[in-house]
Amino acid sequence: MVCRSRSLDGRECRSEVCMIVKNQLWNDARVKKEASTLKRMGLSVTIIAYPEEGRPESEVWNNVQVLRVPRSGALKARLRKALDSCEEDDRGLLRRMVAALRHNPMKKFLGLLFHSLLYQARLLRHALATGAEVFHSHDLDTLPVCAAAAFLTSGKLVYDSHELWLESRRHLLETSRPFRVLEKWTEELIAPLADAVIAVTPGRAGIMREMYPDMAGPDLVPNYPPMIPRMKKSGEVRRSLGAWEEPCFVFLYQGILGLHRGLEELVDAAAMLRGLPVRIALVGHDRSRGVIPEYAAERMTADVLTFHPPVPSEDLPGITASADCGLLLFQGSCLNHTYSLPNKLFEYMMAGLPIVACDLPEISAVVRRHRCGVLVDAGDPASIADGMRRVAADPAGAAEMGMNGYLAARDLYTWHNSALTLHGIYQRLLGRRLPLPGPGGAE
């Protein structure tokens, strides 16, 4: 049954599937590919996501309803104002209680927990308003609210695990111990109750099966790119990537600029490549809090290495195609990295780029199988620099590796293959036949 609801601006909308992601949609290629695929299967879809500067709270994107829910609400502001007024009150007990709370060692945890619960409540209200049959959770941080919505409406729950969340560096380093325990309990409790569980790589799927033997699946939906025609290199784009003079060999890293992705070692490798006609471009969001750009400045690599601002996922193929070689240097600092198959690997292959890649199990298996790149020790700058030199010094070999990767991506690693798995999952959940999605992705 399709239920009617109203969007944030009061317009009536219809949804059979409600997706929730705690991310900005503009740069989340996987969520957009899945939503577009479901739409081509004849399903109505609502995506609930974080706000984006300059974008409306409610809009239709690619025939998909998008709701951007503000992260801070009026209730939080009113409570903060009430606490401030209580602390200024001279009448004693209430003032001392509020002051004690604000100086309590647990204040940060309690504050974050309170803020999280308020936001979860707002997400739940909007999710319920969609009247969806299926609530599709993108990663562990949206699993509780999707589970609550499914329970309250007798709907279906999909847990789409993009990461091994509990084994990721972000979780291990940036999450306080109380929240780590809370998130562990959440996944242990809810994941086995999901009607469908989705994993991105075979290795991660295997670990999830070991962790939760009573869990459904998981089904494997790799984050392959959509099939796109090969694009010509753009001189303007190459100049934006640092190729101010030609001939020049451009190495590209695209994705999050974070720690433990081999980027600090790449900066050191860049310093070893001075004097060669090569440039290195890093394109993406800086999640290192300035550590990587500052380290690059310290090493004085500006003549070799360029930082390029992030671009919408739809615009990325043109940048990828204008480079000469892709870089993928993840380090095995956590199980999430060890068993990763980043979409950038297949985006490089789809663009016909050879790859200088780390020797982690899932990534190296693809590179070795298709002979589409060279493997290096991502923890050793000298090894990275040597691999880059070898590729740049052999244009014919680089072109052969690039073509090997392109042919493999075209035949094996396109989103259409993942979409067929997603089609099977939703037919099973809804108990009815759905049209097969044609080739394509997020359009």
Side-chain angles (χ1 to χ4, degrees), residues 122-199:
R122 286 199 297 278
L123 293 176
L124 178 60
R125 176 167 59 86
H126 290 296
L128 292 174
T130 67
E133 296 178 67
V134 181
F135 295 91
H136 192 125
S137 161
H138 287 283
D139 264 328
L140 179 58
D141 55 354
T142 66
L143 184 57
V145 67
C146 284
F151 175 77
L152 291 171
T153 62
S154 299
K156 300 292 186 180
L157 173 63
V158 176
Y159 178 26
D160 194 338
S161 178
H162 301 192
E163 315 277 348
L164 282 175
W165 189 278
L166 300 178
E167 298 294 341
S168 67
R169 294 299 299 179
R170 180 175 62 176
H171 174 80
L172 296 172
L173 293 180
E174 299 180 11
T175 307
S176 66
R177 180 173 176 78
F179 270 104
R180 291 201 301 271
V181 172
L182 189 60
E183 289 179 343
K184 185 174 185 294
W185 287 348
T186 297
E187 190 169 63
E188 287 177 349
L189 175 65
I190 302 177
L193 301 177
D195 298 285
V197 178
I198 295 172

Side-chain angles (χ1 to χ4, degrees), residues 280-291:
I280 304 168
L282 280 67
V283 179
H285 287 282
D286 180 14
R287 294 275 180 85
S288 72
R289 299 178 181 176
V291 170

Side-chain angles (χ1 to χ4, degrees), residues 5-315:
S5 61
R6 293 193 177 273
S7 60
L8 292 177
D9 59 6
R11 291 179 300 158
E12 189 177 74
C13 58
R14 297 162 58 91
S15 289
E16 291 160 290
V17 180
C18 175
M19 292 183 159
I20 303 183
V21 57
K22 285 189 176 179
N23 203 352
Q24 292 187 338
L25 182 61
W26 73 278
N27 200 39
D28 200 319
R30 180 178 178 86
V31 174
K32 289 190 284 190
K33 284 183 292 191
E34 289 190 351
S36 294
T37 297
L38 295 177
K39 189 66 182 178
R40 293 199 305 276
M41 287 158 47
L43 297 173
S44 52
V45 183
T46 293
I47 301 173
I48 299 176
Y50 276 169
E52 299 173 28
E53 186 176 353
R55 304 296 300 181
E57 288 188 346
S58 177
E59 68 172 336
V60 175
W61 166 85
N62 197 24
N63 294 316
V64 171
Q65 180 69 43
V66 178
L67 306 179
R68 298 183 177 91
V69 179
R71 299 175 68 178
S72 293
L75 177 58
K76 180 183 175 184
R78 288 198 298 269
L79 287 172
R80 183 182 294 276
K81 184 177 180 181
L83 288 174
D84 289 341
S85 65
C86 288
E87 197 167 19
E88 294 168 1
D89 195 323
D90 293 331
R91 286 177 288 184
L93 180 60
L94 187 57
R95 178 178 60 81
R96 288 196 298 271
M97 288 175 60
V98 172
L101 177 63
R102 283 190 158 163
H103 293 90
N104 192 293
M106 290 291 287
K107 172 196 167 185
K108 183 175 182 181
F109 167 71
L110 292 172
L112 289 173
L113 179 61
F114 179 70
H115 175 70
S116 175
L117 291 174
L118 285 180
Y119 190 58
Q120 297 276 32
R122 286 199 297 278
L123 293 176
L124 178 60
R125 176 167 59 86
H126 290 296
L128 292 174
T130 67
E133 296 178 67
V134 181
F135 295 91
H136 192 125
S137 161
H138 287 283
D139 264 328
L140 179 58
D141 55 354
T142 66
L143 184 57
V145 67
C146 284
F151 175 77
L152 291 171
T153 62
S154 299
K156 300 292 186 180
L157 173 63
V158 176
Y159 178 26
D160 194 338
S161 178
H162 301 192
E163 315 277 348
L164 282 175
W165 189 278
L166 300 178
E167 298 294 341
S168 67
R169 294 299 299 179
R170 180 175 62 176
H171 174 80
L172 296 172
L173 293 180
E174 299 180 11
T175 307
S176 66
R177 180 173 176 78
F179 270 104
R180 291 201 301 271
V181 172
L182 189 60
E183 289 179 343
K184 185 174 185 294
W185 287 348
T186 297
E187 190 169 63
E188 287 177 349
L189 175 65
I190 302 177
L193 301 177
D195 298 285
V197 178
I198 295 172
V200 179
T201 77
R204 290 177 179 173
I207 290 174
M208 292 179 73
R209 278 192 292 268
E210 292 177 6
M211 294 171 65
Y212 311 115
D214 296 331
M215 180 181 65
D219 292 287
L220 190 62
V221 181
N223 201 16
Y224 299 150
M227 181 66 198
I228 57 174
R230 294 197 66 179
M231 303 174 70
K232 293 183 179 180
K233 298 184 187 300
S234 161
E236 182 179 353
V237 172
R238 286 177 65 81
R239 285 189 290 275
S240 75
L241 298 178
W244 305 297
E245 297 179 2
E246 299 283 4
C248 181
F249 199 92
V250 177
F251 291 90
L252 172 69
Y253 170 86
Q254 61 189 40
I256 297 297
L257 308 187
L259 305 178
H260 305 282
R261 293 174 176 241
L263 300 183
E264 304 98 312
E265 290 76 10
L266 177 60
V267 170
D268 289 331
M272 300 176 187
L273 298 174
R274 288 194 183 97
L276 298 178
V278 302
R279 295 292 183 271
I280 304 168
L282 280 67
V283 179
H285 287 282
D286 180 14
R287 294 275 180 85
S288 72
R289 299 178 181 176
V291 170
I292 293 169
E294 288 172 9
Y295 186 56
E298 289 175 11
R299 297 286 280 143
M300 296 182 290
T301 58
D303 56 335
V304 182
L305 190 146
T306 300
F307 291 91
H308 190 289
V311 299
S313 55
E314 294 87 349
D315 297 339

Side-chain angles (χ1 to χ4, degrees), residues 380-419:
D380 180 3
S383 176
I384 296 171
D386 179 65
M388 295 170 72
R389 283 194 200 96
R390 284 188 283 139
V391 174
D394 183 9
E400 181 180 354
M401 288 188 289
M403 181 56 68
N404 290 343
Y406 169 72
L407 294 175
R410 183 195 65 186
D411 296 340
L412 300 172
Y413 304 122
T414 67
W415 177 252
H416 181 58
N417 295 327
S418 298

